Amino acid sequence: MNQTDGLHVAVVGATGAVGQQMIQTLVNRNFPFKKLTLLSSARSAGKKVNVNGEEYTVQEATPEGFEGVDIALFSAGGGVSKQLAPEAVKRGAIVIDNTSAFRMDPEIPLVVPEVNESDLHHHNGIIANPNCSTIQMVVALEPIRQKYGLKKVLVSTYQAVSGAGAVAIEELREQTNAIMNNESFEPKILPVRSDEKHYQIAFNAIPQIDKFQENGFTFEEMKMINETKKIMHMPELPVAATCVRLPVEVGHSESVYFELEAEGVTAAEIKALLNSSPGIVLQDEPDQQIYPMPANCVGKNDVFVGRIRKDLDEERGFHMWVVSDNLLKGAAWNSVQIAESLLSLGLVKGK
Ligand code: NAP
Ligand code: 3JM
């Protein structure tokens, strides 16, 4: 098949917070699909979804459901990916996986097109999409790494509830209403659905995203640490992260401290560099009170950077504030962008 005839694309987890954005992004980008298969668990099978004026019926994800699929975008949790991604590949599909299931597998490329698009040349059927918080940070760090070198990265995140799925968005809304109406409520989802304790997220900040590891970091923090080193091909780069959930619906924010290899660099030089770097919008005019905020980045594909300033004590240290729509560049857009890269590099054959 000629690629321009269109591809058969499947979205696994099509009814979820990320899956919905994937469908919308495919439509918005005019992605060349001739057939779209929407997959979920048995719970949502049969549900009708409107895509660009056409009605699609969601089907239960099964191995056989991948027959004839060219590209499968997975976003239904790590367990589903581990079970079904190899089945999709066996049937000839290229899988772009949005979960943590395969990200640290050395045989599997972990790709942010602005940073390491060329890693796509060495895939064996599965390509991993990094964690949302990692993606927006490496888009901002890569131009700096290329020009000045990086010695250290320390990040604290301020993450939106939509990163924990549709049920977490619902929980924030219901809790906020309950508190405003003086009603009682019982937290059930955040910080981690399967953990023993659940805490209020409305009017609060929770310093736990994903489960705690033996080293005292959470899994979300370890994702940021390990994935950053892999994507930037810097296994020795010192990276540390603290990830915090906030009562924001969409848009992750990050305070990033980094140290350069180079000496004598100014904040103005970093601003000029980021202003002309791919995927980045610079919003950095303190005298006009201009800086990125999640409410302004919802629905946009870019990574917004501001508050760039030199550390007062460390000559090679800088601080910046990085914001992006976690469901778009953090998930759906990065996945579709990977699919677009595969097409432009001639790495999708089609059938
Ligand atoms: P969500 O809103 O809870 O949606 C989950 C989706 O997965 C739903 O479509 C659900 O279908 C489907 N699903 C659940 N169990 C399934 C099964 N056994 N077989 C097939 N489909 C199943 O969650 P979300 O926020 O969209 O996130 C989905 C996944 O994407 C996460 O678990 C995570 O691994 C990944 N993710 C990645 C990033 C990133 O940083 N790149 C960000 C957020 C999420 P039903 O409607 O049938 O339940
Ligand atoms: C974001 O149930 C699961 O396996 C999903 C957990 C999850 C992940 C993950 O680890 O894949 C929820 C939200 C992510 C992610 O992107 O890392």
Side-chain angles (χ1 to χ4, degrees), residues 50-65:
N50 185 299
V51 181
N52 215 14
E54 246 185 85
E55 192 176 81
Y56 286 74
T57 304
V58 177
Q59 300 162 44
E60 181 179 355
T62 61
E64 299 72 35

Side-chain angles (χ1 to χ4, degrees), residues 323-342:
V323 181
S324 195
D325 184 325
N326 54 299
L327 298 176
L328 291 179
K329 185 56 182 166
W333 163 233
N334 199 67
S335 292
V336 173
Q337 196 183 8
I338 288 172
E340 289 184 0
S341 291
L342 288 170

Side-chain angles (χ1 to χ4, degrees), residues 77-78 98-100 103 131 163 223:
N98 233 297
T99 78
S100 57
R103 288 180 190 147
N131 176 263
K223 287 175 199 172

Side-chain angles (χ1 to χ4, degrees), residues 14 31 62 81 87 120 124 165 169 249 269 293 308 318 338 346:
F31 191 82
T62 61
S81 292
E87 298 290 343
L120 289 173
N124 297 314
I169 301 175
E249 197 161 299
E269 286 172 314
M293 290 183 280
I308 297 168
F318 289 83
I338 288 172

Side-chain angles (χ1 to χ4, degrees), residues 13-18 40-41 43-44 75-77 80 98-99 129-132 165-166 330:
T15 52
V18 174
S40 71
S41 78
R43 286 182 296 275
S44 294
S75 146
V80 175
N98 233 297
T99 78
N129 186 87
N131 176 263
C132 39

Side-chain angles (χ1 to χ4, degrees), residues 13 25 35 40 43 59 115 136 143 187 193 207 213 219 245 261 302 312:
T25 303
K35 187 169 178 196
S40 71
R43 286 182 296 275
Q59 300 162 44
V115 180
Q136 66 183 66
R193 203 175 184 172
Q213 312 292 289
F219 190 39
R245 188 78 72 190
E261 289 287 356
D302 309 280
L312 297 178

Side-chain angles (χ1 to χ4, degrees), residues 173-203:
R173 290 185 178 193
E174 285 178 6
Q175 265 178 27
T176 307
N177 274 330
I179 292 170
M180 295 306 289
N181 293 319
N182 249 327
E183 291 164 0
S184 65
F185 61 90
E186 189 195 340
K188 291 199 180 88
I189 306 292
L190 292 167
V192 176
R193 203 175 184 172
S194 59
D195 267 5
E196 192 187 331
K197 294 182 180 167
H198 299 102
Y199 298 120
Q200 170 185 335
I201 183 63
F203 306 99

